[in-house]
Amino acid sequence: MNENLFNQTYNQILAGALGGDNKNFQLMGTPQSFNWAVAPTGQIDPQAYQAMSTMPLWSPVGSFTAADADFFTSYRQVLNQITFKVSPERQGDLKRLKDLVTLANNDVTKATTEMNQAYLSQQQNGGVVFAARYPDVSSWIQGEGSSYQHAIDNAQVNFNRTQDQLLEMQKASMPADLQNAIDAIKRPTANPATSTNPVGWVKVPDGAGILSWQPGWTIATSGQDWRAELASGTVGSFTVELSAADATQNLTKSWANGSASYGNPFWSVGGSGGWEKMDLTTTDKSVKATISVKSSAVVPITPGSWYDGGFLSTIARNKGGGYSLTAPWVSNGGPGSQSLFGQYGLLPTRVSALVVAYQPSFSITMSSATFNQYHEKFEASGGLRIGPFSFGGSGGHESNYIHTTQGGTTFTGGSTSEDPVIIGVLVSFPGINDPGFAG
């Protein structure tokens, strides 16, 4: 079995372990610690907010990747593509302002692309030192890459201001339900440092501790409470078993139902200096891996009152209401179309839950020849990565990683960390199938 196929099979089995035919599951290429700080009343920890508010790209397996725009920004753009009858004298003004909104959004995309390209370039040129210091783009923009984040923030402010102007102009002629949706997404103007939270909005501090208004999201309980619950028992414990001889390519348990690639090597060893690929299954079809977790949980994530899933369903299904989509936008089209929803849409997915695991462990058996080839590298490593799980290394804490070899054919190890890790997300599909909202 090649590495990509091994990962696809892994996705099927893990999705089944989390609840049977779970087609909404997407793996994270790099797990995140579920150890968010307890935020003051009315605030959300920045790391927690990022996990909730991102919009996953349409990808069945592999590295969890967020779209360039966050969910709220794309939601606003969808509402901006709904048209209605307006007076002839207003049509020209609306068109000019829509063009300005498009240009402002292009500036946000350009700034985001430049940031990602700059990080990847420095990552390639910086070697293990850069990788150890900045394991992901989030840590980089808090340090040396802060100027790129500032550029994005400035472009986003201009986009928000321009779009607010457009929405205000549109409100005079729009139907009541669309007007309610527009009102709900209007960003508060009061100083977040001294004001109480308007309905549907929350305060999020930046790297310097400065508060800004962000659209609210609700998590079932705090990261600290989930940590205590997962550490106290074995609820949700599961075991995943894989064999390199398994040649299945069935992806029916993958919500996007298609082939995919995995962003990181499926097998790799590492430590403080980064990760190094380990090709266990390239020539050895006897390799078998077992991964177990002590406990796990699916943590629901819900958008605040600014979000109207029922209204999106009405738009997606062309149920009328005195409005239509601005040409050439369509509800759910194919490749190359300007779609609002679905795989090729402006608003394809949202995070509906986090999949959290506690103290994963592993056992890998192989031929003695493969063992002899890799055991020294394994014993000297400060971590091991198997698919979406990282044990120690730069992606975790080496002090929480234990590993041993057994019988000349087996690698074993696991995490002793008290922090659970987010290993994936469940997604829902706005306008088409968004659990928890009318449609």
Side-chain angles (χ1 to χ4, degrees), residues 111-125:
T112 303
T113 300
E114 289 176 349
M115 177 194 70
N116 290 329
Q117 289 176 341
Y119 173 73
L120 290 175
S121 176
Q122 293 194 34
Q123 185 183 51
Q124 291 172 356
N125 297 327

Side-chain angles (χ1 to χ4, degrees), residues 260-280:
S261 62
Y262 187 68
N264 296 307
F266 192 88
W267 310 96
S268 52
V269 292
S272 59
W275 296 98
E276 178 184 352
K277 186 175 181 179
M278 185 168 62
D279 295 318
L280 289 184

Side-chain angles (χ1 to χ4, degrees), residues 76-352:
R76 284 176 56 126
Q77 289 182 270
V78 166
L79 297 184
N80 191 45
Q81 305 308 326
I82 301 170
T83 190
F84 42 87
K85 292 183 179 180
V86 297
S87 62
E89 59 270 19
R90 281 184 173 268
Q91 289 179 357
D93 292 337
L94 282 172
K95 183 180 184 304
R96 283 189 291 274
L97 205 46
K98 284 184 177 181
D99 289 342
L100 290 177
V101 169
T102 300
L103 290 172
N105 184 60
N106 290 344
D107 288 341
V108 174
T109 301
K110 179 175 180 291
T112 303
T113 300
E114 289 176 349
M115 177 194 70
N116 290 329
Q117 289 176 341
Y119 173 73
L120 290 175
S121 176
Q122 293 194 34
Q123 185 183 51
Q124 291 172 356
N125 297 327
V128 295
V129 175
F130 182 87
R133 188 175 182 185
Y134 302 116
D136 52 46
V137 70
S138 297
S139 59
W140 179 66
I141 60 177
Q142 296 296 321
E144 294 180 5
S146 60
S147 62
Y148 290 92
Q149 184 61 57
H150 293 326
I152 294 174
D153 292 342
N154 291 336
Q156 188 68 54
V157 167
N158 182 55
F159 173 78
N160 292 339
R161 181 173 56 248
T162 308
Q163 193 168 57
D164 282 341
Q165 293 172 355
L166 173 62
L167 295 176
E168 285 299 318
M169 182 179 291
Q170 291 175 322
K171 281 175 60 176
S173 305
M174 65 180 58
D177 49 0
L178 178 57
Q179 184 168 335
N180 291 336
I182 295 298
D183 286 340
I185 63 172
K186 187 174 181 180
R187 194 174 296 273
T189 57
N191 185 349
T194 57
S195 304
T196 57
N197 293 37
V199 175
W201 293 82
V202 69
K203 304 171 185 178
V204 180
D206 62 13
I210 299 174
L211 298 175
S212 65
W213 293 117
Q214 299 296 340
W217 294 78
T218 301
I219 190 168
T221 186
S222 72
Q224 297 295 320
D225 290 341
W226 278 112
R227 171 178 169 172
E229 182 173 325
L230 289 167
S232 64
T234 58
V235 174
S237 62
F238 64 83
T239 297
V240 175
E241 296 181 348
L242 286 174
S243 169
D246 185 356
T248 178
Q249 296 191 56
N250 179 20
L251 288 179
T252 58
K253 290 183 178 178
S254 171
W255 57 264
N257 294 323
S259 61
S261 62
Y262 187 68
N264 296 307
F266 192 88
W267 310 96
S268 52
V269 292
S272 59
W275 296 98
E276 178 184 352
K277 186 175 181 179
M278 185 168 62
D279 295 318
L280 289 184
T281 55
T282 301
T283 58
D284 187 356
K285 302 310 176 186
S286 71
V287 174
K288 294 183 179 180
T290 300
I291 300 173
S292 300
V293 300
K294 180 179 178 181
S295 56
S296 69
V298 176
V299 183
I301 300 294
T302 307
S305 58
W306 53 268
Y307 180 67
D308 192 339
F311 180 63
L312 291 187
S313 294
T314 299
I315 297 300
R317 299 168 189 177
N318 299 314
K319 292 185 178 179
Y323 34 68
S324 58
L325 301 184
T326 304
W329 290 93
V330 297
S331 172
N332 184 12
S337 65
Q338 287 189 250
S339 299
L340 296 183
F341 311 106
Q343 179 174 0
Y344 305 100
L346 191 63
L347 196 71
T349 64
R350 75 171 178 86
V351 175
S352 61

